[in-house]
Structures are given as structure tokens and as C-alpha cells.
Amino acid sequence: MQTASPGNFRWRIVALLFIATTINYIDRQVLSFTMTDELFRKEMLGLGPGDPLTPAAIDRFKIQYGDVDAAFKFAYAIGFLVVGWLIDKIGTKRGFSLGILIWSIAGVLTSFVGSMRGLVSTRAMLGLGESANFPSAVKTVSEWFPRRERSFATGLFNAGTNVGIVITALLVPYLITHYGWRSSYFVTGLLGFALFAFWWLNYSKPERSPRVSKAELAYIRSDLDTEPAQKVSWGKLLGLKQTWAFAVGKFMADPIWWFYMTWLPDFFNSNAALDHKLDLKSFGIPFLIIYIVSDAGSVFFGWFATQLMNFGWSANRARKTTMLICALCVVPIFTAAQTSSITIAIGLISLATAAHQGWSAIMYTFASDLFPRSAVASVTGIGGMFGAIGGIVLAFLAGRIITSFGYLPMFVIASCSYLIALAIIHLILPKLEPVRAEEIEEVLV
């Protein structure tokens, strides 16, 4: 039974992570909306304002757009090679600050590009900086929360991904239609600099914060003695089955989420099966619906797993049951590419994105549940790298698949990925047991 919680300053830290994740996704998501702007497409293809944008040119743009997206994810993966280790070494405050600064500079620089080559460079820089967000956030949760509250706290900050997309869907089309596509990158890039200052001035570890009471600090540290304190390198972490269970969950699911973020505006703008198309002037409400539902999924499924544990379920049973429900909710999405009703398509995609966010919230708790605090950022970095590798492959293929076969194959891949991932995770790790000190010692030999 859960004990009463003395003090609540730790939930303000979650709010800070929520804001950071929201801005992270605003900067990440701008491209998927600007890519539907005709002038942007022409400039990236080297066409003049009066040149026709032929179907062949549009197909060429989509293929190159997929390559740009792959470049972002490649840099994102490279970032994970070092960012988790860096955050564990220099601390969450300084490590996350560096990431925020890099991605904000990249966002502003994108407003000055004039070709696909320039876009590849700035998006790669953006990916490098943005790789710091989730290792930092997950490590922060592990520092500020006892294990029983982490899935709910993770679900809350992870909800910022959806809010970021909603804000982008409302703000960016307005900026593009009134001030041109370059303004969208410049304005959203500036948000990151504000975040950098806010994070630097407000974040500290709980034991260093004057606003944390002794009672709350004791509550936060209530399960500290159950977690091994050894620091473990990447190479040694890769020898643990817990690491591979986490990596598989990220490898199979992250690319699907990135597919939604990258291609949904084009799906609603160009899918021939739909009886009604969306454009820059009409994206707002449908995307508001999709990602509000996604937000609810992130919070609900994180809360649901926590409640099951409060009812006496083991972490293994609670986490995996929640993940199974999420995986089943994604299965119907393949019909979104076949229906002619935009309303049904929005409903199916909303359900799938909500389920993904629930899955994601549970996956992030794997890192904080299964590993010592000193290794959480490194493990999250490993998982993020594998997720990015999967994203690179899918991003490189997406434009080619869509131009040749339409959206159905992509949605079929999405509908199957989570169930396959859960089956593999269960085979690797039948029980979600934390790494024991003796296991780390065995790996260290």
C-alpha cells in the first residue's frame, strides 16, 4: 500500500520536464508542416516561384524529404552514443543545457537554408542536440521519484510530446501563411533559448534544492538502498539482458512514432483514398484532436500501470499488461489508409498515437526500474540509439514506399510492430527484475 507523500515539489520538476519536452517537439515537428507548403517545396528543389510543381517533382521531393528525415535520425542516433554517458558524467543540469543550446541554434539556422543540402545539415544538428532530451528527463525522474511513482511521472512529462505537436500544428501554419515558411523556424528556434535560461536557473538535484523538505527528500530516497550504486560503461551494459529488452522496445516502436510525426500532414494532404483533404489552413483542429487524445494516452497508461502496482500487482505484470493493451490498440490503424472517411482516419490514428505514448511511458520506466540511477541516462541513450537506428531505416524507405505503393504498407508495419516487440521483450526478460549488484560484478569481470 502506498504511503502518503510528504511534500510535492518533485511534481514541479515534472512540470519543468514537460515544458522542455514540449519545446523539444515543437522544434522537431516544424518540418512536417512546412513540407506541405508549395513555396518551401519549390525552394528546396531549386525551382523558381513561377515554375510548376509537377507530380514527378512532388515525388522527387518526398523521396528527398525522407532522406532529410533519415539524416536527422542518423545524427540523433550518433548523439545517443555520447549523450547518455555525458549526462551521467557531468550531470543532468549541464548535459541537458548543452543539448538545448545545440538544438535551438539548429532551429534558428534552418530559417536561412535554401536547398535540401542545407536542410540536411541543420536537421542533423537538430537531431544531435535533441538526443539529450529523453536521457535527461528519464534520469531526472530517477533522481526525483521513488520507483512506484516513476511511470506516472514519466507519462506526465512524455505528454509534452503531444502538446508540442499540437502547438506546432496551430502556430506553424499561421506563421507560414502570414510571414512565410522561414519565420516558422526562426520563431520556434527562439523558444529553445528561453528554455535554456529557464532550465539553467531552476534545476538542481533534490538534495541541493532549498525547496525540498527533509520529509520529501526521505520519501524520494525511500528505495535508494535497493538500487546498486556501481557505474557501468556502455560495453558492460550491453552484456545485460535488461538493456536488450529496453533496446528492442525502442527499436520497434520509436520509428512508428516518428513516421506519424513526419508524414501525417502529408497523409492528410495527399492521400487519394480520403474524401476530404487537409492543408495549412485546416490542419489545426484534426491535429489538436489527435494529440490531445495522445496526451490522454500518455498520462492514462502511465497512471494505469501505477494503479495496478498499488493494487498489489508486480511491476512485471503491471507493466507488461499495460503494454499489451497499448499494442492491441494500435492494430486497427492499418484501416486508416483504406477508409474514405477522414473522421474515421483521425479516430484510428488518435487511438494508435495514444497507445504509442502509453507504450513509450512504460518503456522509459524500464530504464529507471531496472538499472541504478548512475546508469539510467546511459541506458536511455542506448535505447534511444536503437530507436533512432530503426527510425533511420524506416525514414529512408518511407518516401520510396509511399510514392510507389501509397500509405497502406506503412500503416500495416505500424499495426504489427508493438505486438512483435512485446513478444521479443518477454522472451528476453520473462520477469522485469532490476539489475542486481552481483550481476554487475559478473559483467565487470
Side-chain angles (χ1 to χ4, degrees), residues 82-142:
V82 295
V83 72
W85 168 84
L86 182 66
I87 290 167
D88 281 334
K89 185 174 181 63
I90 69 174
T92 311
K93 180 172 184 173
R94 288 187 289 176
F96 198 17
S97 295
L98 180 61
I100 294 169
L101 191 61
I102 292 172
W103 95 54
S104 302
I105 293 172
V108 172
L109 286 178
T110 307
S111 64
F112 298 99
V113 302
S115 66
M116 281 292 190
R117 181 175 295 180
L119 193 60
V120 165
S121 299
T122 56
R123 292 298 289 185
M125 183 178 178
L126 184 76
L128 187 65
E130 292 208 337
S131 65
N133 186 81
F134 286 102
S136 299
V138 174
K139 185 174 179 68
T140 297
V141 168
S142 76

Side-chain angles (χ1 to χ4, degrees), residues 26-43:
I26 290 173
D27 288 342
R28 185 181 306 196
Q29 190 67 11
V30 175
L31 179 59
S32 66
F33 290 96
T34 56
M35 68 89 72
T36 64
D37 180 59
E38 184 173 307
L39 183 58
F40 176 77
R41 292 185 177 193
K42 287 182 177 181
E43 289 193 39

Side-chain angles (χ1 to χ4, degrees), residues 365-376:
T365 64
F366 273 32
S368 57
D369 280 351
L370 302 178
F371 295 90
R373 286 184 174 97
S374 59
V376 166

